[in-house]
Amino acid sequence: MTDSAEASVDATSSHNPDHASAMREVEQRVLWTATSIIHHANRIRPNQSGMKVGGHQASCASITSIMTALWFEHLRPGDRVSVKPHASPVLHAINYLLGELDEKYLTTLREFGGLQSYPSRVKDPDPVDYSTGSVGIGATAPIWGAMARRYIETTFGGAGTGRQYSLVGDAELDEGAVWEAIGDPSVAEMGEIVWIVDMNRQSLDRVVPNIAAGRLEKMFSAAGWQVITVQFGSLLESLFARPGGDALRTRIVKMSNPEYQRLLRCDADEVRSRLPGDGPGAEAVASVIADLDDSTMLSAIRNLGGHDLDALGEAFTQIDDTRPTIVIAYTIKGHALPTEGHPQNHSSLLTVEQFADFARQLGMDPDKPWQRFESTGSAGRLCLHTAEALRRDPIPESAPPTVPTDFGRTPSGTSTTQAALGRALLDLTRESPDVAERVVTVSPDVSSTTNLAGWLNKVGVWSTSERRDWFADDAQTMMHWTENPTGQHMELGIAETNLVGLIGELGATWSRWGQPLFPIGVLYDPFVGRALEPWSYGIYAGGQSILVGTPSGVTLAAEGGAHQSITTPSIGLEQPDCVSYEPAFALELEWVLLSCIARLGRPGGLSSYLRLSTRPVSQSLAEVPVDPAARERRRRQVVAGAYTLRHVRQPAVTLVGMGAVITETLAAADRLEEQGVSAEVICVTSPGLLFEALQARRGHGDAPTWILDQIFATHRAAPMVTVLDGHPHTLAFLPTVNGVPGVALGVSRFGQTGSLEDVYAYHGIDADGIVAAALDVVD
């Protein structure tokens, strides 16, 4: 611990009366400011549309004490915190009190260009460590952030140490993504992970009857986590210490969630009547509370651990940094607000009258809500001290190394784009080691079946500690599983959500610690849909990565329709801040991969999606130009989205193929030529880039348009047939480039088991189908 950290602990000791008083003042001011931010957005700011702006005052109130205790007593500069989505106003309130947010933004919640609905690393004006908002994804992000930090520290240094906190609502634990992450075997070794659960036992619609901390405790404990429960505050604990107090504890513990919540809506006399219940300990409970005045009675029933700063502080000091920790803190939704404990208070808003009453209770002016503390008072000094203690050094700028564009070799024979991926990565280690050292591959237990064995043997598998490979001396073992902290491949369990969560955080290290990485995640293309939502959210949060889906389409015909992907080309086309490719040949894959890597690890960088195939294709069909200038022209066109593979003087029809079905496209062109129909063949590598170019040509964007001029020249326009091993609408827009008739072929039905030839024929994407479509469109 540094000297400044030791001084921070001394200054914030819970045994210091001035500090305890200051903490309570800050806690109230945070709640007031967060509540006011939402109130202004809904009740004060002009609203021309008349639609509810929204916000979650009750959800903010339930976690205010937790965040106050964390930020003003226990957080350190190297720590990072993921704040539950609905508590964003609390985060902004804290940042405001610490001087990290200008007052002008407090009136802009959910306003265009203002404070975001949920915390956003890239869009909010104040410090945000993790973007949240997609339930379950923000909660798990610090797990992958912890791995990314460790990787940077062991490989390049400069990431330091620090805990990765997740502040989550209890209802968020319903999300499958949460348990996929917790269940991954690697997580149990990550000691810097701390989750704090806001256990208010309410969801959006109701008081949840069956949320039980005991069950959660067992589930986390079974996964290897330290479990700390903060159930009651000091007032209730003092009552439990009285004669008969055990009966009171038992009564409250065994009380159902709805019954307990109902007590919060009662006056003191009603609480006295209801609390003892009618069980065997009723008399003992009644005797314990008999002498409590009304104020103490009402305070006692609200005195849960998640609102007791001392209890929270004690819990945080117990965190064991050798394993992940979960702190389950019991809270009340809407704590200290007029909506406290109401079963439908999730998105309810204080009325103007309620807000004014709340201001009077706190000694605030409802007309002047944005008040920082005077620096001379104990609360003001605490804010100044905390701001100084949490100040982070500026992130150093570190430009990623220059990525080569072409290794200069031309593949021959027969190959697949999936196999080309592994070879390209190995070539990168030889041709550009400074780039290769920043490549990190991630796989959900499919490294061998996606052709990464050679790369994995070369760079090793990353783990928190070195492990012995017991098969290293087995001559028949071709894939060597060498695990150590210097490996460049990360292997997770079979959970695509975890994969994309990790590559998202690996892809954000350039902005967190000034060290760019080039993360490449590999998974089966049929499961891209399963991974899409968390990957998309990772891109939104600033994580730049490459996702490789392979094998794709109906290539896996022998494995049945369940393993055949149809919609993934559309996914790549439509994902913001992402460039999608489906190369047809091995050399295209190399060029595309290098281009995608060059987009990573920098401001304004982009993610990429590569859709690869296990379909063997003769590489001679690529007809790669021998002349260096012509080769470079081909490369630029491949990276820009399309190139002319077979040129004819005056085409009667244009055949546009994408990916492995280029073989059938060329065969169809040969057959049409035999019938006197001149067919030009265009190979599309990125439909998304072509669509952006078309939009820009029409005045709806600023993408470069030169690729359309070169490949889809107006004077060569002809009726068009497009074909791909995926949904046909992916390329269906291309005939509109020049307003020609068109037919779109592809896969729009669930697949069938069978040979590739039979399945292609079934979907109409074989040579017969292409020829028939071409004759129809030129007739």
Side-chain angles (χ1 to χ4, degrees), residues 45 92 101 104-117 122-126:
R45 194 169 71 214
H92 298 312
L101 180 65
K104 67 181 181 181
Y105 288 108
L106 300 181
T107 60
T108 67
L109 179 68
R110 302 191 173 200
E111 186 176 66
F112 186 81
L115 298 178
Q116 299 301 295
S117 307
V122 296
K123 292 186 176 182
D124 271 317
D126 53 332

Side-chain angles (χ1 to χ4, degrees), residues 24 77 82 93 100 121 125 175 205 323 400 416 421 431 542 586 727 738:
R24 287 192 291 271
S82 170
E100 296 283 359
R121 286 192 70 222
E175 285 289 338
D205 289 329
R323 53 178 173 153
T416 72
L421 173 67
E431 301 293 331
H727 199 283
N738 290 311

Side-chain angles (χ1 to χ4, degrees), residues 301-379:
I301 202 62
R302 288 162 171 76
N303 187 226
L304 298 185
H307 301 301
D308 190 301
L309 296 175
D310 290 339
L312 288 166
E314 176 63 26
F316 295 159
T317 60
Q318 297 175 29
I319 293 173
D320 175 6
D321 283 326
T322 66
R323 53 178 173 153
T325 296
I326 181 169
V327 179
I328 300 175
Y330 278 74
T331 61
I332 298 169
K333 198 162 187 174
H335 178 67
L337 297 181
T339 57
E340 183 179 58
H342 193 284
Q344 281 84 48
N345 67 6
H346 179 78
S347 56
S348 63
L349 300 168
L350 300 191
T351 65
V352 174
E353 294 77 13
Q354 288 175 325
F355 183 74
D357 289 341
F358 185 53
R360 282 191 291 272
Q361 292 173 22
L362 300 181
M364 300 300 296
D365 184 347
D367 297 322
K368 297 179 181 179
W370 321 123
Q371 301 296 318
R372 288 192 175 104
F373 291 106
E374 295 291 337
S375 60
T376 54
S378 58

